[in-house]
Amino acid sequence: MVNKDWTKVTPTLSKPVLKCISKQGFKTMTPIQAAVIPLILSCKDVVAEAVTGSGKTLAFVVPMLEMLIKKEKDTPLRKDFVYSVIISPTRELATQIYKVVELFLQESELSHITQALLVGGRPIEVDVESIGKGAQVVVCTPGRLEDLLSERKQLNFAGRLKDLEFLVLDEADRLLDLGFSATLTTILQYLPRQRRTGLFSATQTKELQDLVRAGLRNPVVISVKEKSTISTPLSLENYFVIVEPQDKFLFLLNFIRNRRTSKGLFFLPTCACVDYWADVLPVFLTDMKIYAIHGKMKQKRNKILESFREAESTILLCTDLLSRGLDIPEVEWVVQWEPPNSPAALVHRVGRTARGGARGFSLLPLLPTEDTYVPFIKTNQKVELKDWRKSTDEIKITQNLRNKVLSILHDLQKKDRAVLDKGQRAFVSHVRAYSKHECNLLLQLKELPLGHMATSYGLLKLPLMPEIKDEHKKQFVGPKEQIDYNSIPYKDKQKETSRLQKLEEYKKTGVWPSKKKKKMVQSQPWQQTKQNKEERKQKKKKRKELQKNTDVKKSKKRRAVTQEELDELAADVALIKKLKKRKITNEQFDEAFDVEK
């Protein structure tokens, strides 16, 4: 790519922007920045595709600020108007973009430009107040923006957008994955058509093309890749390893222990899995700080993320919530419990490391039944996974190590019922998530050795699930001694008191007390439950159609009015008219209608 020097961008960048870029240590542009910035500055709509960590944020922040500076030369910017909107799929990514813009606005020449961060997880009144103070640049999530556009009692936000200059949809494919298609369509209806639009993404999908046609005018499509044969950064090394299901946790534990001095991300299948391993891992990694984050955490997420950024030797347990846009240059490795639900998500997960040209690597453990995933992901996503066993970092698992770790996991659950409950929920949610894999032809639930997997979780007992067969019960390795599960207490005294009261009532009545009485329903596999739900839906649809047809038939069966009745009605109307015109007397009218006096 020619012309990577920031000072040689055409049109030339302003001094305040160049000064801030220099302060942040960016000497040359990345390929995506060199391709996109001149196009936006020349008033083009842009659809940009580039690998994660390629510098897409600056590719739209820099031209956005330049457009505001240029507009201000013609007419002063109004404090009550919004001139730029940046829409991001998650509040974490929106916060990250907000901080990048904030760095530029700290320059004295740009300090008069105001911005606001509009995200969920807080009362809408807070954002209304923030906009009321002035926000010429808005960084937001789509749900909160839609809420504010429909909020007309306190704020006419749509009116503030009539002079909008620039709209950015960051991680646009993720916006659609999260189901924001209808929300984005609604938002676009409020925005003026005479605007510049930038759509940035790491992958292109059919839904994305539909959005392009709806929201952009003759866009220039830019696709920047470091190498045509791969879709991840060149400085990123991706590995896989085949492990036995009962040894997966042991392998990953040793892997993490060997990297105590570095910072890493550990992707888990579900929120329940994050909660369980967040309780378990600190026991094994006493000198390493463990953080956990997932989508069900509302208020804590920003604080956790900031703490993780500041820590040195640390690991963050997370779900796919953080698979997009998270930019922490210090992250050296990414580990995954299993293949993500979507093949494209693998690219985004591993892209959290090797940011900005730095080195990084990722590891994906696979079961022996999942080995075909390696050639599949190479063909489907152009991600080449190398065999970790061929590396010099060999990890040995002995029977003594197995027994020791399993004993510790069992003891944790015996001491606190909360850990026991979390382990059960984590395993059940894991199995359920696995059954919903997009590539279920390769990753089939029926092939999973669920007993061995439950052993890897260190469960005290197998949960009651229809998927658990006799063969799985034989695979499972639980505690050697007999355990009275009712005697396992909660460490939380309030929860334990409540549990003991319910236990006493259960012993008397034989029914476990709960707030709502639930009907006893026989447990079914997830696939069967889904099929039954679809069947009920079809039956309901048929009943509605049948009812509609019945109503139509009933209306057709209504007795037809005879000609004699029509003639009689016409004669009555004629008499009434004669009475009004006084052509007949009241007596004559009463006599004609046979009214008794």
Side-chain angles (χ1 to χ4, degrees):
M1 183 72 66
V2 183
N3 188 23
K4 289 187 178 181
D5 194 328
W6 285 101
T7 60
K8 296 180 181 179
V9 177
T10 306
T12 307
L13 299 180
S14 61
K15 289 182 179 180
V17 173
L18 286 173
K19 186 178 178 183
C20 190
I21 291 171
S22 178
K23 277 185 179 180
Q24 295 179 50
F26 299 113
K27 295 181 180 179
T28 57
M29 292 183 287
T30 63
I32 189 67
Q33 293 163 355
V36 168
I37 292 174
L39 288 171
I40 297 176
L41 291 178
S42 59
C43 297
K44 300 284 186 183
D45 283 356
V46 172
V47 177
E49 176 190 4
V51 296
T52 56
S54 57
K56 290 192 289 290
T57 303
L58 281 188
F60 59 77
V61 169
V62 168
M64 176 193 75
L65 293 172
E66 287 294 334
M67 290 169 75
L68 291 178
I69 293 170
K70 182 180 178 182
K71 184 174 181 62
E72 193 172 29
K73 289 179 180 178
D74 299 330
T75 54
L77 300 179
R78 290 181 52 172
K79 285 189 176 182
D80 57 337
F81 273 24
V82 177
Y83 296 97
S84 297
V85 172
I86 303 170
I87 302 177
S88 169
T90 65
R91 64 188 70 164
E92 285 74 24
L93 183 52
T95 303
Q96 185 173 284
I97 295 169
Y98 176 84
K99 290 181 178 179
V100 172
V101 177
E102 195 173 41
L103 289 173
F104 282 86
L105 299 187
Q106 287 174 357
E107 289 297 318
S108 57
E109 297 92 333
L110 300 173
S111 59
H112 62 283
I113 298 175
T114 57
Q115 73 161 335
L117 176 65
L118 312 178
V119 296
R122 61 190 183 190
I124 194 170
E125 290 76 19
V126 175
D127 291 335
V128 170
E129 183 180 351
S130 178
I131 295 169
K133 293 178 181 178
Q136 293 156 337
V137 176
V138 164
V139 185
C140 59
T141 50
R144 179 48 56 97
L145 180 57
E146 184 183 29
D147 292 341
L148 288 166
L149 286 169
S150 59
E151 174 64 53
R152 293 181 178 274
K153 294 180 181 179
Q154 305 178 52
L155 175 74
N156 180 17
F157 193 44
R160 294 171 180 261
L161 293 167
K162 65 180 184 179
D163 274 4
L164 184 74
E165 288 283 321
F166 193 34
L167 170 68
V168 176
L169 300 178
D170 191 28
E171 299 291 353
D173 54 337
R174 180 64 172 162
L175 286 168
L176 299 175
D177 287 344
L178 293 175
F180 287 121
S181 180
T183 301
L184 291 175
T185 302
T186 302
I187 291 170
L188 290 173
Q189 292 173 353
Y190 282 97
L191 305 182
R193 293 187 178 182
Q194 295 296 325
R195 66 169 193 272
R196 296 279 64 78
T197 304
L199 192 149
F200 293 80
S201 173
T203 54
Q204 293 289 331
T205 62
K206 179 183 178 300
E207 292 79 6
L208 203 58
Q209 296 304 319
D210 294 339
L211 183 63
V212 169
R213 287 192 289 271
L216 285 75
R217 298 181 302 163
N218 300 321
V220 179
V221 179
I222 301 294
S223 181
V224 177
K225 297 180 180 180
E226 294 187 359
K227 201 174 183 180
S228 60
T229 56
I230 61 172
S231 57
T232 56
L234 289 173
S235 57
L236 173 60
E237 296 180 45
N238 298 304
Y239 292 93
F240 78 95
V241 62
I242 302 295
V243 294
E244 294 301 322
Q246 65 270 29
D247 292 335
K248 183 180 281 190
F249 173 62
L250 291 172
F251 181 87
L252 292 175
L253 179 62
N254 276 337
F255 178 87
I256 295 169
R257 276 176 170 169
N258 290 350
R259 283 148 191 83
R260 291 179 185 273
T261 58
S262 58
K263 183 178 290 188
L265 292 180
F266 191 174
F267 283 95
L268 291 158
T270 67
C271 299
C273 291
V274 171
D275 288 335
Y276 175 61
W277 293 113
D279 280 356
V280 168
L281 273 178
V283 178
F284 296 95
L285 303 170
T286 53
D287 58 345
M288 199 172 190
K289 187 64 179 175
I290 309 294
Y291 294 98
I293 190 171
H294 57 69
K296 291 183 180 178
M297 297 175 180
K298 299 299 180 185
Q299 308 298 334
K300 301 178 183 177
R301 280 157 46 178
N302 283 337
K303 290 183 180 178
I304 293 170
L305 201 53
E306 284 305 311
S307 299
F308 175 69
R309 287 178 187 274
E310 294 171 4
E312 293 182 0
S313 177
T314 181
I315 178 174
L316 177 62
L317 311 183
C318 57
T319 60
D320 276 330
L321 171 76
L322 295 187
S323 65
R324 296 295 191 99
L326 180 69
D327 186 17
I328 303 177
E330 298 84 8
V331 173
E332 294 181 21
W333 52 268
V334 169
V335 169
Q336 305 172 70
W337 182 268
E338 67 178 13
N341 184 271
S342 164
L346 182 77
V347 177
H348 300 293
R349 282 183 176 185
V350 301
R352 297 315 97 210
T353 183
R355 308 287 293 180
R359 289 201 65 186
F361 61 90
S362 70
L363 179 67
L364 174 65
L366 296 172
L367 304 183
T369 57
E370 299 171 336
D371 59 341
T372 52
Y373 188 79
V374 176
F376 164 76
I377 205 69
K378 183 178 181 180
T379 304
N380 186 273
Q381 293 295 320
K382 295 183 179 179
V383 177
E384 185 175 354
L385 300 175
K386 303 174 185 177
D387 191 347
W388 181 258
R389 295 291 182 184
K390 295 179 181 178
S391 70
T392 56
D393 192 355
E394 185 63 34
I395 297 174
K396 294 181 180 180
I397 297 174
T398 63
Q399 189 59 44
N400 287 337
L401 179 62
R402 289 190 186 98
N403 295 338
K404 185 179 179 180
V405 170
L406 203 56
S407 176
I408 294 172
L409 290 171
H410 289 166
D411 288 342
L412 285 171
Q413 295 173 70
K414 291 175 190 175
K415 291 177 183 177
D416 188 0
R417 194 177 192 87
V419 181
L420 171 65
D421 292 344
K422 286 180 180 179
Q424 296 284 308
R425 284 196 293 269
F427 181 76
V428 172
S429 67
H430 179 185
V431 175
R432 185 176 186 180
Y434 199 94
S435 69
K436 297 178 180 179
H437 263 290
E438 285 185 13
C439 42
N440 52 20
L441 290 175
L442 301 176
L443 309 176
Q444 297 186 16
L445 181 62
K446 64 181 181 180
E447 293 185 2
L448 284 185
L450 298 180
H452 289 318
M453 288 173 57
T455 302
S456 183
Y457 269 77
L459 301 185
L460 284 180
K461 59 177 181 177
L462 285 170
L464 296 174
M465 298 174 65
E467 285 82 4
I468 301 291
K469 311 298 181 186
D470 289 337
E471 60 185 280
H472 302 139
K473 294 176 183 177
K474 293 177 182 177
Q475 298 166 354
F476 179 64
V477 178
K480 295 178 181 179
E481 73 279 10
Q482 291 292 327
I483 296 176
D484 179 9
Y485 294 103
N486 287 332
S487 66
I488 299 175
Y490 285 109
K491 275 190 177 180
D492 187 312
K493 293 181 180 180
Q494 188 175 355
K495 288 184 73 175
E496 179 60 14
T497 302
S498 175
R499 186 188 75 87
L500 291 174
Q501 290 174 352
K502 291 179 179 180
L503 186 60
E504 284 298 318
E505 190 173 338
Y506 171 73
K507 289 178 179 179
K508 293 177 183 178
T509 62
V511 179
W512 190 265
S514 59
K515 293 180 180 179
K516 295 181 180 179
K517 292 184 178 180
K518 297 182 179 179
K519 295 181 180 179
M520 295 297 291
V521 181
Q522 187 176 2
S523 184
Q524 294 178 324
W526 306 117
Q527 298 94 329
Q528 186 64 40
T529 303
K530 185 178 179 181
Q531 184 179 343
N532 292 346
K533 186 177 179 181
E534 187 62 30
E535 288 176 358
R536 288 195 298 271
K537 190 176 179 181
Q538 292 299 327
K539 285 180 181 179
K540 187 176 180 181
K541 186 177 180 181
K542 286 181 180 179
R543 282 199 301 270
K544 284 185 177 180
E545 290 177 355
L546 183 62
Q547 183 66 36
K548 185 178 179 181
N549 293 335
T550 304
D551 293 341
V552 171
K553 288 179 181 179
K554 284 182 179 179
S555 64
K556 288 181 179 179
K557 288 181 180 178
R558 288 176 183 169
R559 185 174 63 85
V561 180
T562 63
Q563 185 61 41
E564 185 180 351
E565 288 172 330
L566 289 172
D567 293 342
E568 186 177 344
L569 180 63
D572 291 342
V573 172
L575 282 172
I576 293 171
K577 287 182 178 180
K578 285 182 179 181
L579 178 64
K580 284 184 177 181
K581 293 179 180 180
R582 297 184 179 181
K583 290 184 178 180
I584 58 174
T585 62
N586 288 332
E587 290 78 7
Q588 290 173 323
F589 180 82
D590 293 339
E591 184 179 352
F593 272 91
D594 196 20
V595 178
E596 294 183 1
K597 294 184 180 180

